[in-house]
């Protein structure tokens, strides 16, 4: 019997404001994507267990491309394992739109295909389910 929570996917999109640029070239630090992973993991926990859950940790994080201010990023979490209280999630952060300051100050384009900037595997935990008994 397969757990219906396996394969559940949640996606968030967000514009990266220029106030988050930390480095030359309007680069954003890697923690920006990790914070978004936390947000999407919270929604996964709410959908699977009716609780916000807690992030326990990452077993793998890979930064594969830059995220820049002016980008639109799409973060996805997919449930890959369901334990008694833990859930393993596969994360991806892809840049789906990118600013084009070489064209003009407000120019931007949709990236086809998107650029995968960060991937990770993480574990969240949720409270144990308690069974109430009528007395």
């Amino acid at each position: 019997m397969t757990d219906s929570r396996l394969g559940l996917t949640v996606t968030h999109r967000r514009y990266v404001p220029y106030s988050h640029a930390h480095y030359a070239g309007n680069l954003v630090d890697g923690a920006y994507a990790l914070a978004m992973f936390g947000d999407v993991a919270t929604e996964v926990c709410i959908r699977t267990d009716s609780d916000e859950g807690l992030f326990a940790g990452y077993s793998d994080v890979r930064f594969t491309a830059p995220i820049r201010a002016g980008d639109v990023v799409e973060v996805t979490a997919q449930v890959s394992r369901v334990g008694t209280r833990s859930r393993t999630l596969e994360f991806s952060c892809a840049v789906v739109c990118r600013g084009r300051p070489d064209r003009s100050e407000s120019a931007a384009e949709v990236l086809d295909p998107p650029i995968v900037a960060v991937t990770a595997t993480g574990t969240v935990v949720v409270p144990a389910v308690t069974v109430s008994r009528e007395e």
Side-chain angles (χ1 to χ4, degrees):
M1 186 167 169
T2 303
D3 192 307
S4 63
R5 296 170 288 189
L6 282 171
L8 173 78
T9 302
V10 173
T11 301
H12 291 187
R13 278 193 179 182
R14 186 178 302 162
Y15 173 78
V16 181
Y18 281 84
S19 61
H20 286 276
H22 287 279
Y23 306 104
N26 289 319
L27 289 176
V28 175
D29 63 19
Y32 189 85
L34 298 183
M36 289 187 65
F37 288 167
D39 291 344
V40 75
T42 298
E43 184 178 343
V44 167
C45 291
I46 291 168
R47 290 185 178 278
T48 60
D49 296 278
S50 300
D51 189 275
E52 290 183 354
L54 294 170
F55 213 108
Y58 291 103
S59 59
D60 185 38
V61 177
R62 296 185 187 272
F63 299 97
T64 57
I67 298 173
R68 291 187 166 85
D71 288 348
V72 175
V73 292
E74 180 178 88
V75 173
T76 301
Q78 183 174 45
V79 179
S80 62
R81 190 188 68 72
V82 175
T84 305
R85 292 189 49 224
S86 65
R87 315 287 176 251
T88 301
L89 307 178
E90 302 301 324
F91 296 100
S92 175
C93 176
V95 178
V96 296
C97 300
R98 175 151 279 168
R100 291 294 309 266
D102 57 314
R103 292 186 185 164
S104 75
E105 287 184 26
S106 59
E109 66 184 354
V110 175
L111 300 180
D112 186 20
I115 298 169
V116 176
V118 185
T119 60
T121 300
T123 302
V124 294
V125 293
V126 295
V129 176
T130 57
V131 178
S132 63
R133 296 183 183 192
E134 305 239 353
E135 298 191 35

